[in-house]
Amino acid sequence: MRAPAGVSTLIKTSLAASLLAGCAADTPEQRFERWRGDGREAQVRAYADHLARHGVAAVAPLSQQLRSGRNWRWCGADEFALPPRASWPRSVATLRLLAELRAAGLIDGARIVSGYRAPEFNRCEGGSRQSRHMAGGAYDLELAADTDGARLCAFWRRRGLATGFGLGFYDRRRLHVDTAGLRTWGGDYTRKTSPCLRPGAVGAGSGAAL
């Protein structure tokens, strides 16, 4: 027996709403908690404790810091990845730099979208063979629409040498940050397209390792 048209429509609408609600509830933070709870609690806690001992635990949520990259589904990888313990000091150094950038109001509203990448995932993600993401302490950021790139460049020129600031611009809304040495690059991954280089600017390395 067929349900009346009105009842059938109501059922379909309710099912669609339930599915949409389920999708909306599946946030990156919730996926991170499931990933951490799948036998990784002790390792993640050790990493978080290391950050806390060095005063950088609050710079960004772990669900952002440990995000592997954008193409994790396509690549069949985990959405999150814990960097090797030997690389944790590099994470601390770059998180300190991010804290300094935040304190200066230069990356308000930004979020980390890629941190440590295992070599296999880095290849699938399209990263360089020398990508700093594989060594830890490198982060890709998605910027707020009103981020002032000129002020970021001014900071890089002023503080880059002291902090080892590697600053890469994928485009106006996506940024790479690490502390593996003073250098900068732009959309074609070479220094010549970096918006930070102009006559009289501080010199930088010749290439990028994204």
Side-chain angles (χ1 to χ4, degrees), residues 17-164:
S18 297
L19 288 171
L20 287 172
C23 292
D26 191 29
T27 65
E29 291 75 20
Q30 289 172 323
R31 294 195 298 271
F32 172 74
E33 291 302 327
R34 289 199 298 271
W35 174 84
R36 180 167 70 174
D38 189 19
R40 301 179 181 90
E41 186 65 45
Q43 299 97 309
V44 173
R45 187 183 305 114
Y47 176 74
D49 288 347
H50 181 83
L51 300 185
R53 285 195 299 273
H54 290 84
V56 294
V59 174
L62 288 176
S63 59
Q64 292 183 26
Q65 289 186 43
L66 300 182
R67 194 157 191 259
S68 57
R70 296 173 178 274
N71 297 315
W72 58 276
R73 283 193 180 95
W74 174 263
C75 295
D78 283 340
E79 184 176 6
F80 308 97
L82 190 68
R85 186 177 289 267
S87 74
W88 292 1
R90 289 189 284 273
S91 297
V92 168
T94 306
L95 288 169
R96 282 179 176 152
L97 174 59
L98 290 178
E100 193 172 345
L101 291 169
R102 286 195 189 280
L106 299 177
I107 54 171
D108 291 345
R111 63 188 183 95
I112 297 172
V113 295
S114 181
Y116 171 74
R117 301 176 193 158
E120 298 81 6
F121 176 70
N122 183 67
R123 283 194 294 272
C124 185
E125 182 83 342
S128 155
R129 284 181 294 178
Q130 292 81 39
S131 174
R132 300 295 179 181
H133 286 274
M134 295 187 293
Y139 300 101
D140 289 347
L141 277 64
E142 188 173 89
L143 304 174
D146 60 352
T147 301
D148 189 338
R151 291 183 64 211
L152 274 169
C153 286
F155 180 97
W156 175 82
R157 286 190 290 272
R158 185 176 68 255
R159 291 281 294 143
L161 187 60
T163 59

